[in-house]
Amino acid sequence: IPESDDEVERMLATLAWWFSKLLKHKGKIHKPFNSILGEQFFCRWDIGASSSGTSSTERESTVASSITDVSAGSDSLLMHVEYITEQVSHHPPVSAFVYRCPQKGVEAAGLDHICAKFTGLSATVATGSESKGIFVTLKSRDNETYHTTHPVGNIVGWLRGNLKVQFAECSYIVCQKTGLAAVIEFKEERWFGKSKENVVGKVFKYDPQVLDKDTIMTWRLKDIPKSCSVVATFEGCWDKKVTVQRMNGSKKLGEAQTLLDMSDLDIAEKIVKPLEEQSDLESRRIWEPVAAMMLQGKYGDATKLKRGIEEKQRTLASERKEKGTAFVPALFKADYSSGNPELLDAAVINI
């Protein structure tokens, strides 16, 4: 993301990354364990060499190689991407997290807090009140920060027994330092047949002295005023291929190019410390006995173990209440109200 000197290309690289994180929603839907308060998880990815720069002519190979080289087991491991997360609240359930690549000076931080509601034919999953999105910071670009928001997901296919995710409404990427913003608008997908395109959007220049990001993050595409100059448009299918067209207002600049092709991407395998090197608060140490029983088909035993873990948490919560003490996160600063959590200097990171 930070390599290009062209601010529009950095925005488009951020946009490509934003779409790439939807890759996990293409396959089968799984229900995770409910994290306990203070639960931690650490992992890293070793990233192979990618082409330098993010010019429009190199964008497609850059985005694809940076991910597929890893899953293919590239021998040239040049960079490490780290993931650090901690459950910082149980009521409501909130996890603070940060991704970081020290070699590139890139960090992405945010809060996981979701809310779900059910209708007759679908379940809608959206961000909860604590989550403000993901904040991507480019330290090598004077802390240029991109505030990105999550899409609303509808889980459909209940009648057919084939669950899948469809995205709806609008998501946003706003960089106040460069005065660039993107509105990503998802189209309603058809009940029968396949939609040709399910996402469209625009990247535009705005005046941060006149418009604030909270206002922009209420817009649909039709609400973008003429005072904002469009620098790129994009369209396609979020789960297949999205193309981008550089613009100068209403004038096209060159040919449309691939922003991201999901068919070129695979989810890279996490690298996690072995169980014996993990603390008692790390996810795999906590839930490994439960998962082992489930994999053996011993669901009754798994339920008993799960209830034991939950009962221990209730006991700890009662003890804190009796003593009048509040839970204090071990990895993140206690004030995360901005939605952009900060790691503690003394945080013990087990990567």
Side-chain angles (χ1 to χ4, degrees), residues 127-144:
T127 53
S129 58
E130 297 292 330
S131 176
K132 307 296 190 298
I134 301 179
F135 297 81
V136 180
T137 301
L138 311 182
K139 294 188 174 182
S140 61
R141 295 288 174 180
D142 192 26
N143 289 322
E144 191 173 283

Side-chain angles (χ1 to χ4, degrees), residues 23-319:
L23 180 64
K24 64 183 179 181
H25 298 296
K26 283 187 64 176
K28 188 176 180 181
I29 297 173
H30 299 276
K31 182 185 181 300
F33 292 117
N34 293 324
S35 299
I36 67 171
L37 186 61
E39 182 175 331
Q40 303 169 3
F41 182 74
F42 308 97
C43 72
R44 78 173 196 274
W45 295 268
D46 291 335
I47 305 298
S50 63
S51 58
S52 61
T54 54
S55 67
S56 59
T57 57
E58 296 174 324
R59 185 183 301 111
E60 182 174 356
S61 61
T62 299
V63 173
S65 66
S66 65
I67 298 179
T68 54
D69 277 358
V70 180
S71 42
S74 172
D75 291 328
S76 54
L77 302 176
L78 301 181
M79 295 177 291
H80 305 292
V81 175
E82 301 172 346
Y83 176 64
I84 302 157
T85 186
E86 179 182 19
Q87 186 84 352
V88 294
S89 171
H90 192 62
H91 296 292
V94 178
S95 291
F97 65 86
V98 63
Y99 295 86
R100 62 186 185 184
C101 179
Q103 294 96 324
K104 290 290 185 179
V106 180
E107 288 190 358
L111 299 174
D112 274 332
H113 177 214
I114 64 171
C115 62
K117 61 180 180 179
F118 295 86
T119 63
L121 298 174
S122 68
T124 299
V125 180
T127 53
S129 58
E130 297 292 330
S131 176
K132 307 296 190 298
I134 301 179
F135 297 81
V136 180
T137 301
L138 311 182
K139 294 188 174 182
S140 61
R141 295 288 174 180
D142 192 26
N143 289 322
E144 191 173 283
T145 299
Y146 296 79
H147 183 179
T148 75
T149 66
H150 300 292
V152 173
N154 294 321
I155 302 174
V156 300
W158 299 87
L159 293 178
R160 297 181 180 182
N162 182 24
L163 300 181
K164 69 173 186 176
V165 176
Q166 293 180 349
F167 292 114
E169 302 183 24
C170 289
S171 296
Y172 307 90
I173 303 175
V174 180
C175 179
Q176 291 178 294
K177 186 176 285 290
T178 62
L180 286 168
V183 175
I184 306 159
E185 189 168 309
F186 289 94
K187 296 181 178 180
E188 184 176 354
E189 297 188 43
R190 299 173 182 171
W191 280 87
F192 300 100
K194 294 184 178 180
S195 300
K196 184 178 180 181
E197 296 170 349
N198 56 28
V199 66
V200 293
K202 292 180 179 180
V203 178
F204 55 90
K205 190 80 174 177
Y206 75 98
D207 186 350
Q209 302 299 319
V210 177
L211 289 168
D212 62 79
K213 66 179 180 179
D214 290 337
T215 298
I216 293 173
M217 288 181 173
T218 64
W219 290 351
R220 300 186 71 85
L221 288 176
K222 63 182 179 61
D223 300 319
I224 300 173
K226 292 183 179 179
S227 59
C228 296
S229 176
V230 176
V231 297
T233 60
F234 53 92
E235 62 183 10
C237 293
W238 69 265
D239 54 345
K240 295 181 178 66
K241 185 177 182 178
V242 179
T243 59
V244 62
Q245 173 69 61
R246 288 289 297 264
M247 304 286 292
N248 182 8
S250 60
K251 181 181 178 182
K252 293 182 179 180
L253 301 177
E255 299 294 324
Q257 304 229 351
T258 297
L259 178 71
L260 188 71
D261 190 341
M262 283 289 200
S263 64
D264 289 336
L265 306 183
D266 293 307
I267 296 177
E269 185 175 354
K270 305 178 189 72
I271 300 172
V272 184
K273 287 283 187 72
L275 283 177
E276 60 270 18
E277 296 181 26
Q278 296 182 23
S279 75
D280 291 339
L281 282 173
E282 293 190 48
S283 296
R284 294 190 178 183
R285 277 287 291 274
I286 295 168
W287 297 106
E288 191 277 335
V290 180
M293 290 296 102
M294 292 177 67
L295 290 172
Q296 295 175 44
K298 299 178 179 179
Y299 299 109
D301 292 336
T303 299
K304 290 178 183 178
L305 289 169
K306 177 176 177 290
R307 286 175 178 168
I309 293 170
E310 292 169 344
E311 184 59 36
K312 181 179 179 181
Q313 292 304 302
R314 282 190 284 270
T315 300
L316 291 172
S318 296
E319 291 175 355

